[in-house]
Amino acid sequence: MTTAHRPTTSAPRVLIIGATSAIATAVARRYAGRGARLCLLARQPLALQALADDLRVRGAAELSTLHFDASDTAAHPALLAQAWAQWQGFDVALVAHGVLPDQAACQASAAAALASFDINARSVISVLTELANAFEAQRSGVIGVISSPAGDRGRASNYVYGAAKAAVTNFCSGLRHRLYQSGVRVLTILPGFVDTPMTAALPKGGPLWAQPEQVADDIVRGLDHANGPLYTRWFWRWIMLIVRQLPQPLFLRSKL
Ligand SMILES: NC(=O)c1ccc[n+]([C@@H]2O[C@H](COP(=O)([O-])OP(=O)(O)OC[C@H]3O[C@@H](n4cnc5c(N)ncnc54)[C@H](OP(=O)(O)O)[C@@H]3O)[C@@H](O)[C@H]2O)c1
């Protein structure tokens, strides 16, 4: 499905995978406000269409949408090649899709653990492999990937989710090292607690929680200039430094 809107040539071309995520939507709105050209990939056609309509009203200069199922990794190469060819490359790509599995269910069932790992790690590596090759050949642009501080150190409460995010963070570290030679930046985005549908079941409130709009401001700033891991909100960088450094005897007794 493709829908064109007032074409321009100077506005940045932005590809967003998992575009209907609350965080990705907030990012897309900021790019639409800048008059960017947006290519949106997501699973649910109605939500995708509603998002596209919203972004046109907010100023997107041009817009297209494509159906994306993260679990269908066999389809990723052709899908991304189609998007790339249609837009003749991108200046920015953001990979945002993900699931928050039930840790207890994953402890009880390897199938549940692997199902979430497939979405959070394997499918991300799948799309990043295609994007990396395309951006490397283009020799410009930035790839943002939403990982999580949960990947910084495995903790009892969420280590299945954390293990997948650790794989993504490490993959992105290698990708950044590789693509540096080509002038392509790789931003690993590490949001702390964000009030989105993914965290609907968690108790909310308190200073550690952020709204998607706050996180999106940090992400867009990072995509503009940065190359490396980006903790958002900023204080997670220091919280996770402490969590990573906590000596094992203390860590094992903690309720983190
Ligand atoms: N919220 C937080 O506290 C937090 C913290 C750290 C990192 N993150 C990460 O931030 C990213 C965005 O999450 P969010 O907080 O914005 O949550 P969200 O609004 O629930 O977004 C998750 C998105 O992933 C999509 N998705 C899940 N499985 C998919 C599949 N098989 N194929 C295609 N799309 C699929 C969902 O699409 P459907 O609507 O079709 O299900 C949804 O659009 C995720 O990678 C998440 O792990 C979130």
Side-chain angles (χ1 to χ4, degrees):
M1 171 174 44
T2 302
T3 39
H5 191 63
R6 190 163 54 88
T8 58
T9 47
S10 57
R13 298 157 298 175
V14 181
L15 169 71
I16 304 187
I17 299 178
T20 54
S21 110
I23 295 174
T25 293
V27 170
R29 285 179 173 166
R30 276 145 185 77
Y31 278 113
R34 290 179 175 187
R37 295 177 282 162
L38 292 160
C39 177
L40 311 174
L41 272 58
R43 177 165 59 172
Q44 297 195 29
L46 288 180
L48 188 53
Q49 196 51 53
L51 176 62
D53 292 344
D54 173 72
L55 295 173
R56 282 194 194 92
V57 171
R58 290 172 188 269
E62 198 176 344
L63 213 144
S64 72
T65 60
L66 287 168
H67 178 259
F68 168 74
D69 181 352
S71 61
D72 188 3
T73 51
H76 293 173
L79 180 67
L80 291 170
Q82 180 188 347
W84 197 271
Q86 192 183 346
W87 287 75
Q88 296 175 316
F90 290 100
D91 303 295
V92 179
L94 176 67
V95 181
H97 66 280
V99 290
L100 181 63
D102 182 282
Q103 172 69 25
C106 290
Q107 288 174 204
S109 155
L114 292 173
S116 72
F117 198 88
D118 280 352
I119 300 302
N120 287 334
R122 286 184 76 250
S123 79
V124 175
I125 289 171
S126 168
V127 297
L128 285 178
T129 298
E130 302 304 321
L131 290 177
N133 292 336
F135 272 97
E136 187 175 45
Q138 180 179 259
R139 301 190 68 80
S140 67
V142 57
I143 305 173
V145 185
I146 308 189
S147 187
S148 170
D152 285 13
R153 191 170 191 178
R155 290 173 291 117
S157 58
N158 69 349
Y159 63 83
V160 174
Y161 177 72
K165 293 298 193 181
V168 168
T169 298
N170 207 33
F171 191 91
C172 289
S173 170
L175 212 54
R176 183 179 311 114
H177 193 193
R178 169 186 153 198
L179 296 184
Y180 179 76
Q181 304 299 334
S182 316
V184 176
R185 292 180 289 120
V186 177
L187 189 73
T188 312
I189 299 153
L190 303 144
F193 299 129
V194 191
D195 185 358
T196 71
M198 179 175 281
T199 55
L202 303 184
K204 300 256 168 69
L208 295 184
W209 281 85
Q211 293 303 312
E213 292 73 21
Q214 296 173 292
V215 166
D217 283 339
D218 289 344
I219 292 175
V220 171
R221 257 196 309 275
L223 289 170
D224 281 346
H225 304 295
N227 194 21
L230 172 83
Y231 286 90
T232 169
R233 306 294 289 154
W234 60 270
F235 45 79
W236 285 98
R237 176 192 184 94
W238 305 108
I239 293 173
M240 295 317 295
L241 183 69
I242 293 166
V243 171
R244 283 197 308 275
Q245 301 300 325
L246 212 57
Q248 195 72 264
L250 273 180
F251 180 71
L252 292 178
R253 286 176 183 80
S254 74
K255 295 281 183 211
L256 285 169

